[in-house]
Amino acid sequence: MNIDFYAAFIIGLMGAGHCLGMCGGVAAALTMGMPTQQQHSRWHYLLMYNTGRLLSYMIAGAIIGGAFAGVASLSGSSYPLIILRLFAAFMMIVLALYLGQWWQGLTKIEKFGQVIWKRIAPKANRLLPLRSPLAALPFGMVWGWLPCGLVYSTLSWAAVSGSLMSGSLVMLAFGLGTLPAMLAVGGLASQLKQWLSNLYFKRANALLLLGYGIHTGYIAINQIM
């Protein structure tokens, strides 16, 4: 499997603390308002919500991966993808600086998605309260489009994956990386978030991402030269 898939999984895993901050509250609130007799089905709701979220990631990855692969094919040159890989390396470095708490520039990128999110969010609210686990699937699909710097960074890798299917798989790998944290909302959420928020843990992982981003950029520059 391409190393980008593994990198996407690691991004999701290491960015889990960010995921808990942005989406953890939504996932924890899924059972609010459901009939009392269905409280035992909490895990079913969480599973369907996260399935919907991953489906949205895969759709976005397929769209952007297929689109940029088409552009590269029409141009008849590898340079568009090389330039995109340079951009992806840049996004990886920005993400590493964000996770290591050295620079918060990634939050500025998230603001660009707020315009679209304001139009999407009301659709999610109409689905509440959730009356069955199946209803959590479309709810998760809507929330999958929440503006998120981690998602945007990974989408840059989906863009250079080379095909619609590869772009979808990159985003699936990212989504799977976020699952441990998202499925742990509730009893384990506070302990998990405390562990994931440990500065030394975050910076160690951020340095790995930083090295990977620099290495990827170096390879892309060599291809140009």
Side-chain angles (χ1 to χ4, degrees), residues 30 37 39 46 50-52 59 63 66 70 80 95 114 132 141 152 193-194:
L30 282 178
Q37 64 269 26
Q39 290 291 331
L46 285 173
N50 283 287
T51 298
I59 291 170
I63 292 172
L95 175 60
Q114 290 293 342
S132 70
M141 291 187 71
Y152 296 159
K193 189 172 183 179
Q194 183 178 6

Side-chain angles (χ1 to χ4, degrees), residues 127-177:
L127 297 172
L128 296 174
L130 302 178
R131 296 302 181 185
S132 70
L134 188 60
L137 181 67
F139 184 77
M141 291 187 71
V142 174
W143 273 91
W145 297 95
L146 178 72
C148 174
L150 295 178
V151 173
Y152 296 159
S153 297
T154 314
L155 278 174
S156 68
W157 291 91
V160 297
S161 62
S163 70
L164 181 150
M165 182 60 69
S166 294
S168 178
L169 290 176
V170 165
M171 294 308 296
L172 173 62
F174 166 76
L176 290 175

